[in-house]
Amino acid sequence: AIGPSDASPDEGVVEDLPLIDEKAVEQLTEGLISHYLPDLQRSKLALQELTQNQVVLLETLEQEISKFRECNSILDINVLFSEAKHYHNKLVNIRNEMMMLHEKTSKLKVSEKDF
């Protein structure tokens, strides 16, 4: 004897399902697609346009970044020229001091010969 607890849980499920009408499924599918497809196509076009605009924006940003890099390079060059001028002045001063010291030592040598 089979009791109520011994019955399979799936027993009778197939019999409970109504027969599926293939034509109704096809019509429901077409209706669903025709309802959502135009919105999805508009969304796709909007996303494509957005993507193209982002590409243009990225290219523009890259150009601006390269301009800033050029400006920074020019500033670096200006700093280098300023430093070069500063060190050139130092070298000129050292040369002048060396010439003065050379003159003094030459005068000292001449005066030593006189003694």
Side-chain angles (χ1 to χ4, degrees):
I2 297 178
S5 62
D6 293 334
S8 170
D10 293 334
E11 190 175 316
V13 171
V14 175
E15 293 86 25
D16 292 343
L17 288 176
L19 291 175
I20 298 173
D21 184 1
E22 294 293 327
K23 186 171 183 170
V25 170
E26 186 178 322
Q27 288 175 340
L28 287 171
T29 303
E30 286 177 9
L32 187 67
I33 289 174
S34 68
H35 179 73
Y36 287 108
L37 190 61
D39 287 338
L40 290 173
Q41 288 174 333
R42 281 193 295 276
S43 296
K44 180 181 177 182
L45 289 175
L47 286 172
Q48 286 174 338
E49 185 179 342
L50 179 63
T51 303
Q52 289 172 349
N53 289 339
Q54 284 180 332
V55 168
V56 170
L57 181 61
L58 285 173
E59 289 172 356
T60 305
L61 281 174
E62 285 295 326
Q63 292 172 359
E64 293 301 316
I65 288 171
S66 67
K67 287 179 187 176
F68 279 118
R69 285 189 181 135
E70 287 174 17
C71 287
N72 283 339
S73 297
I74 290 171
L75 290 176
D76 290 343
I77 290 171
N78 286 338
V79 168
L80 286 176
F81 277 121
S82 296
E83 288 179 5
K85 184 176 180 180
H86 173 73
Y87 288 115
H88 178 267
N89 288 337
K90 279 188 163 191
L91 284 172
V92 167
N93 289 338
I94 290 171
R95 191 182 101 210
N96 289 340
E97 283 185 39
M98 290 178 72
M99 289 174 62
M100 185 181 71
L101 289 172
H102 177 70
E103 285 178 26
K104 286 183 179 181
T105 54
S106 296
K107 286 180 184 177
L108 282 173
K109 285 181 184 177
V110 167
S111 63
E112 279 181 8
K113 287 183 184 178
D114 290 342
F115 284 114

